[in-house]
Amino acid sequence: MFVGNERGGKSFAVLASLVNTAKLNSVDPEVWLADVLERIISGKVPANRMDTLFPWAWKGRWCMDRDLSGCGSVMGLSMWSVHCGGWI
C-alpha cells in the first residue's frame, strides 16, 4: 500500500485497526469513534474506566443509554438494530 511516508502508514494502520475492531464487534465504527472521542475529550470517562470504551463493552452501554424500546418509530428500531445488532 502506498501512503506517502512511514508516519502516514502508521497512522493509517491505527485507524484501520480501530475501524475493523468495531466492525468485528458489530458496531458502527463512525458512531463508536465519535462517541468515544467525545467521552474522552469531555472527561466523561475517568482514566481508570477506559476499558468501558472498547467496542465490545461500549456496545451494550450505548444501547442501554438510549430509550429505544419506547421509541416506536421505524428509525429508532433501525438505529437499535444497526448499532446494537439486536443485543442488549
Side-chain angles (χ1 to χ4, degrees):
M1 178 181 332
F2 300 100
V3 292
N5 61 44
E6 185 178 348
R7 188 172 173 188
K10 287 180 180 182
S11 296
F12 175 78
V14 169
L15 184 58
S17 177
L18 291 171
V19 167
N20 285 308
T21 299
K23 287 180 181 181
L24 287 170
N25 285 278
S26 302
V27 173
D28 181 308
E30 185 177 353
V31 173
W32 171 68
L33 279 171
D35 184 63
V36 165
L37 291 174
E38 189 273 325
R39 288 174 190 249
I40 291 171
I41 291 168
S42 68
K44 291 181 182 177
V45 178
N48 65 344
R49 298 294 299 153
M50 289 293 176
D51 60 323
T52 63
L53 301 178
F54 290 127
W56 51 89
W58 174 90
K59 183 165 116 175
R61 174 58 54 203
W62 190 89
C63 295
M64 285 187 246
D65 285 349
R66 283 144 183 81
D67 183 20
L68 298 177
S69 60
C71 181
S73 72
V74 175
M75 184 59 167
L77 182 58
S78 67
M79 290 294 285
W80 179 79
S81 298
V82 168
H83 299 298
C84 303
W87 175 85
I88 277 190

